[in-house]
């Protein structure tokens, strides 16, 4: 462990020196942090996503990472898990929703640039109302929430969208699905407190975005679907919005709550046979698969629409788990493991006999 820390420190020092040299010569070097396959390489310092200051992030000592090496160990780690290859009883759905509204925007990123206010491009924050550069697991636990379920104090964020210089925020609760990403939905367990990761990368190419394992439908509006970039125009109608769905990796290594590139501790399920998805042996722990389903109230001429991170193919998002453990466990057990299609209360209208996981106030009964 000590040797790894020394290696990480040397690599970090080298990256800082290299970045300064590149700036001095008017150059930039932005690494790509996209984890497209389950066979993730050993994390490397500085492989994080692009900030508006055009410099790679280097792990620093702050909050949950006091030694500053970029690794946040799980305490305790999850060991002895073997990915399930069993075929469970067939059910079409195994999911619930976290309906969370936008609370604020700011140029912060507590995962990539922890403790560094203003170091990132602008982000739109949903869920926890206190999310900022200085956020930690403890501070999020003590914060408020813009989610329907008071027990969901998690932080969700994505690059802010603009039309020209006008900031466009999603209106009302947005749909964040918690699904099973593996065929054996019975093996899905709740997120560990403090788990965090980045989905996608602002430095990814258009092709990488299009072929990303998290791709669902791309950019959509009106009758336009599966766009890698923003459509040139969208029907001018009050009910037409710009939409996007994108899925996160759902297999965890069981060892780290974060790694230097904010992705290597997570992986997407891999196909086994024709109709089965399982976690890879390197990341054997099946967690809920988060799926963003976002809607922005913008239409008409879309030529001036952009993200704070760049063009449409630079879309990415971040997740920092701060759920109340008992609440998340109840929803995962009732809806995902129980193979239901639940709303934010954990209620499936097609199976009323199953009841709900939460009461009318979205809290544990």
């Amino acid at each position: 462990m000590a040797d790894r820390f020394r290696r990480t420190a040397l690599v970090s020092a080298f990256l800082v020196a290299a970045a300064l040299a590149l700036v001095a010569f008017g150059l930039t070097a932005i690494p790509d942090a996209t984890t497209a396959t389950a066979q993730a390489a050993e994390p490397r310092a500085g492989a994080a996503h692009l900030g508006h200051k055009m410099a790679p992030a280097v792990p620093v000592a702050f909050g949950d990472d006091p030694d500053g090496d970029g690794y946040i160990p799980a305490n305790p780690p999850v060991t002895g898990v073997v990915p399930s290859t069993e075929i469970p009883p067939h059910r079409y759905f195994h999911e619930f929703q976290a309906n969370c509204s936008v609370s604020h925007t700011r140029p912060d990123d507590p995962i990539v640039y922890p403790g560094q206010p203003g170091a990132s491009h602008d982000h739109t924050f949903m869920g926890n109302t206190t999310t900022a550069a200085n956020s930690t697991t403890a501070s999020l636990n003590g914060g408020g929430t813009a989610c329907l379920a008071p027990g969901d104090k998690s932080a969700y964020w994505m690059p802010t969208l603009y039309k020209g210089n006008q900031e466009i925020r999603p209106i009302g609760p947005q749909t964040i699905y918690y699904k099973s990403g593996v065929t054996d939905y019975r093996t899905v367990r709740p997120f560990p407190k403090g788990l965090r990761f980045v989905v996608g990368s602002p430095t990814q190419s258009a092709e990488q975005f299009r072929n990303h394992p998290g791709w669902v439908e791309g950019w959509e509006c009106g009758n336009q679907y599966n766009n890698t970039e923003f459509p040139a125009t969208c029907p001018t109608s009050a009910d037409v919005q710009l939409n996007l769905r994108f899925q996160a990796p759902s297999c965890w290594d069981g060892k780290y709550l974060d790694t230097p590139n904010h992705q290597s501790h997570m992986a997407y399920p891999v196909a086994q046979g024709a109709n089965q998805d399982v976690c890879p042996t390197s990341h054997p722990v099946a967690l809920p698969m988060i799926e963003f389903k976002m809607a922005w109230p913008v239409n008409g001429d879309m030529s001036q629409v952009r993200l704070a991170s760049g063009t449409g193919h630079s879309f990415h998002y971040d997740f920092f788990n701060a759920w109340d453990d008992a609440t998340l466990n109840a929803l995962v057990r009732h809806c995902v493991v129980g193979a239901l299609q639940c709303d934010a209360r954990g209620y499936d209208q097609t199976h009323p006999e199953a009841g709900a996981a939460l009461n009318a106030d979205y809290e544990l009964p």
Side-chain angles (χ1 to χ4, degrees):
M1 183 68 72
D3 288 342
R4 192 194 74 202
F5 289 168
R6 284 195 292 270
R7 290 197 303 271
T8 300
L10 288 171
V11 170
S12 298
F14 171 78
L15 285 170
V16 171
L20 291 174
L22 287 167
V23 170
F25 285 94
L27 302 173
T28 56
I30 308 298
D32 183 0
T34 301
T35 301
T37 66
Q39 289 74 34
E42 178 67 18
R44 62 186 188 279
H49 71 52
L50 174 66
H52 76 290
K53 292 188 177 179
M54 300 295 286
V58 175
V60 297
F62 177 81
D64 297 328
D65 184 20
D67 61 9
D69 71 341
Y71 292 89
I72 301 177
N75 185 21
V78 177
T79 61
V81 175
V82 177
S84 174
T85 57
E86 294 185 16
I87 305 295
H90 176 69
R91 295 291 289 269
Y92 281 104
F93 300 103
H94 10 72
E95 64 185 49
F96 67 90
Q97 296 180 17
N99 295 143
C100 304
S101 298
V102 172
S103 59
H104 60 288
T105 62
R106 67 177 65 195
D108 287 357
D109 190 323
I111 294 179
V112 178
Y113 297 103
Q116 302 172 67
S120 172
H121 53 249
D122 205 71
H123 283 109
T124 293
F125 292 92
M126 297 171 290
N128 201 293
T129 57
T130 67
T131 313
N134 293 323
S135 292
T136 62
T137 302
S139 73
L140 293 177
N141 285 339
T145 184
C147 298
L148 292 183
D152 186 6
K153 295 187 177 182
S154 299
Y156 310 86
W157 65 95
M158 57 194 174
T160 298
L161 185 136
Y162 296 91
K163 187 170 187 178
N165 292 321
Q166 179 185 2
E167 177 185 296
I168 307 294
R169 295 187 183 189
I171 298 174
Q174 298 298 294
T175 301
I176 301 168
Y177 290 107
Y178 282 60
K179 301 182 175 183
S180 174
V182 294
T183 301
D184 193 354
Y185 54 83
R186 302 167 302 181
T187 64
V188 176
R189 63 180 70 195
F191 290 118
K193 185 68 69 68
L195 180 75
R196 65 208 75 182
F197 52 78
V198 179
V199 183
S201 167
T203 65
Q204 65 204 353
S205 67
E207 182 180 6
Q208 287 173 324
F209 179 55
R210 180 82 181 195
N211 295 320
H212 196 283
W215 174 281
V216 180
E217 296 171 351
W219 295 104
E220 301 182 345
C221 65
N223 60 358
Q224 300 188 62
Y225 305 95
N226 283 309
N227 294 288
T228 303
E229 307 297 349
F230 301 119
T233 61
C234 291
T236 304
S237 174
D239 61 349
V240 173
Q241 299 191 81
L242 179 68
N243 297 279
L244 180 75
R245 296 176 69 148
F246 210 76
Q247 296 176 342
S250 59
C251 297
W252 179 44
D253 66 7
K255 302 174 184 178
Y256 297 105
L257 302 178
D258 197 12
T259 44
N261 71 359
H262 317 295
Q263 296 185 331
S264 294
H265 54 308
M266 301 295 298
Y268 286 87
V270 294
Q272 179 166 301
N275 299 299
Q276 190 177 23
D277 293 316
V278 301
C279 283
T281 56
S282 59
H283 296 72
V285 185
L287 301 177
M289 180 190 72
I290 287 180
E291 179 182 307
F292 266 31
K293 184 181 179 182
M294 303 289 111
W296 291 263
V298 60
N299 53 38
D301 178 8
M302 303 285 285
S303 62
Q304 298 300 309
V305 174
R306 60 184 174 87
L307 294 170
S309 55
T311 61
H313 72 255
S314 72
F315 181 80
H316 57 288
Y317 64 87
D318 301 51
F319 170 68
F320 193 144
N321 177 44
W323 274 90
D324 169 69
D325 290 334
T327 304
L328 179 59
N329 183 65
L331 287 165
V332 170
R333 296 295 303 174
H334 185 70
C335 301
V336 180
V337 177
L340 298 173
Q341 185 182 27
C342 295
D343 60 16
R345 281 188 59 219
Y347 178 73
D348 185 342
Q349 293 184 355
T350 63
H351 290 281
E353 75 282 357
L358 307 179
N359 62 25
D361 296 320
Y362 300 90
E363 296 181 321
L364 289 171

